[in-house]
Amino acid sequence: MATHAVSGLRPEYERQLTDASDVGEVQRPLSMSERLWGSTPFRRFVMLIVLAVVWECYARFLSNPLLFPTFSETLATFWRDLVDGPLISRTFTSLQVLVLGYGAGLALAAVFTTLAVSSRIGTDLLSTLTAMFNPLPAIALLPLALIWFGLGIPSLVFVIIHSVLWAVSLNTHSGFRSVPETLRMSGRNYGLSGVRYVVLILIPAAFPAILAGLKIGWAFAWRTLIAAELVFGVSSRSGGLGWYIFEARAELLTAQVFAGLLTVILIGLFVESVIFRAIEARTVQRWGMQR
Amino acid sequence: MLMTEARTHRAEALGTVEATPLPVLLQVKGVTLQYKTPQHLVTATYRVDFDVHEADRFVILGPSGCGKSTLLKAVGGFMNPVEGSIRIRGREISAPGPNRMMVFQEFEQLMPWKTVLQNVLFPMKVSGRFKGADARERALSALAKVNLSKFADVYPHMLSGGMKMRVAIARAMAMEPDILLMDEPFAALDALTRRKMQEELLGLWDQLHFTVMFVTHSIEEAILVGSRILVLSPHPGRVRAELNSTGFGHGSVDHPDFGRLSKRIHDFLFEDELAVEARS
């Protein structure tokens, strides 16, 4: 048959399986140190400690508290202002405005996305508006907000809405669009339509994108808020964190400026790596929609 | 093997009463289906007629472009014919409904945010067909039928392709639909898993005698799975033949009858090319 073969057929053979018991345990549990180093929170914690040590050493070497206070001094100021200073009330004021703006932004994003999903004109409207306003820094709208709404919370809420709205609607809309056709057809197969179809099929199926939008929106909102407070927190009676930083700078309390920045970072970290991480672990990671 | 024999006997038994076949469940009359792409208006099928009787394993077979999937979607209610009518138990089909459960080729048909059990429960609950403890019991028994009881609380992303397909089948079966619509359900599986799934589907049919409409482009699969085969021609899909294929299982693949039927279908599908070859 195999006339092309030069050396003819090779012999066949069958074998007894070799004894594999020499390998020892096929599965060996990792040692304590291997497991510890494998854990991301632990590695990140070590990183933070290293950074703090570097900061402390450099500041001591510089020894100029007016320009660059030490880590320990910053911590002490932070603790002092936290326990019996204005830090808590300032943070609370900021968070209140943030929640207000974020909530309103999400509600508007829901309206825009609904319009975009239900009609082609709505899609065009959302695409155009997003293309126009997404690259526009929210802070650039602050002067306009001050003219329209004056000094105070409405102006802050306005710029936060602007920073949240476009990022969230854009992500949610693209999430809805990328829901697989098969899944849509399955949903309709069960007789789902209208709001039930959106709530039971589209939203969970698009959840990874929606969550990404929420995260981006949150980060934009937090940044915008602190920046906006820095600009006109001065004349506001109950200022937020931005004003706390601004005030400290005016009085050349550099350690207090650092404490304010630290608070901004800590809150950012908390929301990002505790709240959003918990939501992710319970939803998209558990569902295998994100690794 | 035993199942195959049982089926063969039943086929023979059915054969003796062929004068009075089971009642007609689905009637497709003169159905022309068209859909739009950005550039074209495509006629997928042209004046297609056929009847599906109860407990049929009705296979729609044809080359790509014969509109077989479009036809199945129309029976599912996802598109309306521009001409002709599709009736189930005498009622015109106009929208998707849970009395016609679809099983797709893609694994994405399972809801990734629900466990296997929740996936099976979902259509029962949202359609209100079964409720509470009854629904749960049915879901568990459906999962037991496809040997997935152990995986009831697992999320779909942890399952293999074959297991996902079993969940989809269990989910559809648990609804006890009038007809099960399967759109090339095993096409995305590897050859060994596909063979196993075909056997399992036949095993389930042996127990339950449900009606199933099955779309495929594989002649072998059509003969193995089907009890009745509708052969469509391409561009646009028109009925070429409707054949019986009862009594074939994996055990009879090398039987001469199997070969003859396969050859017959092959000639239907490729007669154009054969004609071209003969002319040249």
Side-chain angles (χ1 to χ4, degrees):
Chain A
M1 256 315 166
T3 46
H4 300 295
V6 181
S7 55
L9 286 176
R10 285 169 292 168
E12 295 181 347
Y13 62 83
E14 287 180 25
R15 270 189 190 173
Q16 295 298 315
L17 285 179
T18 42
D19 188 19
S21 57
D22 297 345
V23 185
E25 296 167 272
V26 178
Q27 273 188 326
R28 177 181 64 89
L30 295 175
S31 73
M32 190 62 193
S33 60
E34 276 174 312
R35 252 184 301 171
L36 214 51
W37 198 242
S39 117
T40 312
F42 177 76
R43 282 201 314 273
R44 289 179 77 173
F45 183 69
V46 171
M47 192 84 75
L48 282 181
I49 290 181
V50 171
L51 285 177
V53 169
V54 171
W55 175 358
E56 183 73 29
C57 292
Y58 182 66
R60 275 174 195 276
F61 164 74
L62 210 63
S63 130
N64 184 349
L66 206 60
L67 273 184
F68 200 72
T70 62
F71 178 63
S72 49
E73 198 190 336
T74 304
L75 267 194
T77 315
F78 174 72
W79 187 248
R80 193 197 64 220
D81 279 3
L82 196 68
V83 174
D84 48 20
L87 204 48
I88 289 208
S89 72
R90 295 274 183 268
T91 309
F92 189 67
T93 312
S94 286
L95 287 180
Q96 251 180 329
V97 179
L98 181 79
V99 168
L100 210 62
Y102 194 57
L106 293 191
L108 275 174
V111 172
F112 269 106
T113 319
T114 312
L115 277 177
V117 169
S118 50
S119 74
R120 201 157 60 176
I121 293 292
T123 312
D124 294 343
L125 179 71
L126 181 67
S127 311
T128 315
L129 288 180
T130 315
M132 275 166 60
F133 290 127
N134 208 22
L136 188 67
I139 263 316
L141 282 181
L142 196 59
L144 191 62
L146 290 178
I147 295 171
W148 285 351
F149 304 107
L151 293 174
I153 291 179
S155 290
L156 288 175
V157 171
F158 177 78
V159 288
I160 294 176
I161 289 178
H162 173 82
S163 67
V164 173
L165 176 59
W166 311 116
V168 173
S169 356
L170 193 66
N171 267 282
T172 309
H173 186 232
S174 71
F176 279 177
R177 275 200 305 194
S178 62
V179 174
E181 186 58 28
T182 320
L183 206 50
R184 293 166 187 270
M185 283 172 79
S186 294
R188 288 172 54 204
N189 191 187
Y190 311 152
L192 288 175
S193 60
V195 179
R196 285 208 326 151
Y197 174 68
V198 174
V199 172
L200 292 173
I201 303 285
L202 285 189
I203 290 182
F207 201 68
I210 295 177
L211 194 61
L214 291 179
K215 277 166 81 172
I216 296 172
W218 140 257
F220 280 2
W222 187 225
R223 264 186 247 178
T224 306
L225 173 66
I226 300 298
E229 283 179 346
L230 273 173
V231 173
F232 75 87
V234 206
S235 55
S236 172
R237 260 172 292 112
S238 59
L241 265 177
W243 191 39
Y244 173 84
I245 296 171
F246 190 85
E247 216 176 22
R249 186 212 64 102
E251 294 168 35
L252 284 179
L253 298 168
T254 315
Q256 209 170 312
V257 172
F258 272 80
L261 292 175
L262 190 66
T263 317
V264 174
I265 292 173
L266 284 180
I267 290 172
L269 269 180
F270 175 78
V271 173
E272 176 79 31
S273 53
V274 176
I275 296 181
F276 278 118
R277 188 61 56 79
I279 296 176
E280 270 175 356
R282 268 153 201 268
T283 56
V284 287
Q285 277 175 9
R286 194 154 166 217
W287 305 337
M289 293 164 100
Q290 189 190 70
R291 284 190 51 83
Chain B
M1 203 59 199
L2 265 175
M3 278 183 192
T4 318
E5 275 166 30
R7 194 156 44 244
T8 314
H9 290 314
R10 185 167 302 112
E12 281 161 8
L14 286 173
T16 57
V17 287
E18 208 154 17
T20 55
L22 287 166
V24 173
L25 177 76
L26 181 83
Q27 269 188 313
V28 174
K29 269 193 192 155
V31 163
T32 301
L33 294 168
Q34 289 180 327
Y35 60 86
K36 275 187 193 142
T37 67
Q39 279 87 33
H40 304 280
L41 177 68
V42 180
T43 302
T45 68
Y46 183 70
R47 294 189 178 158
V48 169
D49 305 279
F50 61 86
D51 288 347
V52 177
H53 293 250
E54 269 171 41
D56 264 354
R57 286 170 279 128
F58 196 91
V59 173
I60 301 179
L61 175 69
S64 55
C66 74
K68 51 193 189 306
S69 289
T70 317
L71 201 51
L72 199 76
K73 276 185 193 133
V75 175
F78 290 99
M79 59 189 300
N80 292 321
V82 289
E83 172 180 36
S85 71
I86 307 175
R87 291 165 182 276
I88 188 158
R89 294 194 195 284
R91 273 202 317 272
E92 189 93 24
I93 288 173
S94 57
N99 65 331
R100 287 151 283 140
M101 287 296 285
M102 295 204 67
V103 174
F104 301 94
Q105 171 186 342
E106 295 86 2
F107 301 136
E108 293 146 8
Q109 62 190 301
L110 299 183
M111 279 105 206
W113 61 93
K114 288 180 180 296
T115 63
V116 167
L117 181 64
Q118 286 165 348
N119 257 291
V120 180
L121 279 170
F122 184 67
M124 298 198 232
K125 287 191 167 161
V126 297
S127 66
R129 195 172 166 90
F130 301 110
K131 286 186 186 110
D134 181 34
R136 199 183 155 78
E137 217 165 272
R138 281 169 189 277
L140 286 172
S141 112
L143 283 176
K145 284 201 188 89
V146 294
N147 300 318
L148 281 178
S149 299
K150 269 192 273 175
F151 297 92
D153 296 319
V154 160
Y155 285 90
H157 71 102
M158 296 159 95
L159 302 178
S160 68
M163 287 156 102
K164 283 181 192 162
M165 198 43 76
R166 283 202 197 99
V167 178
I169 293 173
R171 181 170 72 175
M173 304 270 287
M175 287 286 282
E176 295 180 8
D178 289 339
I179 188 167
L180 192 62
L181 307 174
M182 305 181 94
D183 188 3
E184 304 198 32
F186 307 146
L189 301 172
D190 64 274
L192 292 176
T193 315
R194 186 181 314 140
R195 187 191 153 123
K196 202 153 176 282
M197 295 299 301
Q198 290 163 349
E199 277 170 5
E200 285 186 17
L201 183 69
L202 290 173
L204 283 171
W205 187 89
D206 279 325
Q207 292 173 45
L208 305 165
H209 288 77
F210 49 88
T211 317
V212 55
M213 229 169 115
F214 191 104
V215 164
T216 182
H217 58 248
S218 153
I219 298 176
E220 194 199 61
E221 185 167 72
I223 300 175
L224 286 173
V225 170
S227 60
R228 187 96 174 150
I229 302 174
L230 182 79
V231 184
L232 292 182
S233 72
H235 302 300
R238 281 149 298 167
V239 175
R240 182 67 182 83
E242 203 179 300
L243 311 167
N244 283 319
S245 70
T246 39
F248 293 110
H250 280 99
S252 53
V253 176
D254 39 13
H255 195 277
D257 286 348
F258 192 102
R260 266 195 289 277
L261 184 55
S262 172
K263 174 81 173 60
R264 222 176 130 198
I265 296 174
H266 186 275
D267 291 348
F268 283 136
L269 293 181
F270 297 103
E271 56 195 351
D272 291 352
E273 288 165 38
L274 291 175
V276 169
E277 268 171 46
R279 246 178 280 144
S280 57

